[in-house]
Amino acid sequence: MALKSTIFKANLAVADIDHGYYADHALTLARHPSENDERMMIRLIALALNAYKLQDVVQGDGTLAFGAGLSNVDEPDVWLRDFTGEVKLWIEVGQPEDKPIIKACGKADQVIVYCFSHAAGIWWKGIENKLTRPQNLQVWRVPSEISQAVAALAERSMQLQATIQENTLTLGNGAESIDIELVKLK
């Protein structure tokens, strides 16, 4: 019998001072049986960091949502689609292979990969030369000590605040907060 996803609910208040975006997002995260809290929370961080694009890219007339991710390789972990269904932003989390990333670059206006864990540096060294051509691709690394600290914030029901100022995301739950500075790889 196949294991079912575990459902997490998050109320995420985004205050993106850098982009002038302020909104509350009621989110449902389905954590795949093979996914851990660390990866799930990186998906949530990716959504928070790109929430302003709802305003800047699709002028509020689109959807920023979690995709099927691990359940369906033809969908991203997070995506932004306009009202016609056109994919404006495709976000992958983890250490995907080069071919799906290149394929995603052909499907979306912009593709962003957020890698994490102690092996992310090794992954990037092995894949970097294969990803030089796509101009619509960005790759960011979340330092492993940060991704592990963020994983500790995971609860089945979460009230989170995400403040983005001077390219730093501060994610907190009222009791504790974590400053997240990403490292740009591409």
Side-chain angles (χ1 to χ4, degrees):
M1 179 177 201
L3 296 173
K4 294 184 178 182
S5 294
T6 304
I7 303 300
F8 288 74
K9 299 281 187 176
N11 287 316
L12 178 66
V14 178
D16 189 336
I17 297 161
D18 291 347
H19 298 99
Y21 177 83
Y22 305 90
D24 294 332
H25 296 269
L27 305 169
T28 300
L29 293 101
R31 191 184 71 198
H32 191 272
S34 67
E35 184 176 41
N36 59 23
D37 287 346
E38 184 178 19
R39 186 179 191 285
M40 180 188 70
M41 293 301 287
I42 298 299
R43 287 193 294 134
L44 189 128
I45 286 170
L47 188 138
L49 287 168
N50 292 281
Y52 76 93
K53 293 178 182 173
L54 270 167
Q55 174 182 292
D56 288 7
V57 175
V58 295
Q59 290 71 47
D61 203 4
T63 306
L64 179 67
F66 295 110
L70 292 173
S71 299
N72 182 348
V73 295
D74 292 326
E75 284 191 21
D77 291 307
V78 179
W79 55 4
L80 173 64
R81 292 181 285 185
D82 68 10
F83 73 97
T84 67
E86 183 179 335
V87 180
K88 298 295 185 179
L89 176 63
W90 183 292
I91 298 174
E92 291 288 343
V93 170
Q95 299 164 12
E97 295 180 12
D98 59 307
K99 286 184 175 77
I101 295 171
I102 292 168
K103 187 176 177 182
C105 288
K107 292 181 178 180
D109 293 352
Q110 183 182 20
V111 176
I112 303 174
V113 176
Y114 292 97
C115 62
F116 62 97
S117 89
H118 62 281
I122 296 166
W123 165 80
W124 180 243
K125 283 181 184 175
I127 202 169
E128 182 178 12
N129 291 334
K130 298 175 184 176
L131 298 176
T132 56
R133 294 189 87 195
Q135 297 302 305
N136 60 338
L137 173 66
Q138 291 182 20
V139 181
W140 295 87
R141 180 176 184 191
V142 180
S144 63
E145 63 276 1
I146 299 293
S147 64
Q148 291 168 7
V150 169
L153 295 177
E155 296 178 8
R156 293 288 298 270
S157 180
M158 298 177 271
Q159 299 288 328
L160 299 170
Q161 303 80 38
T163 304
I164 302 158
Q165 185 173 16
E166 297 178 5
N167 297 319
T168 300
L169 166 65
T170 302
L171 185 68
N173 63 4
E176 61 181 299
S177 64
I178 300 162
D179 289 336
I180 304 162
E181 287 188 50
L182 304 180
V183 178
K184 187 170 186 171
L185 301 176
K186 176 180 174 30

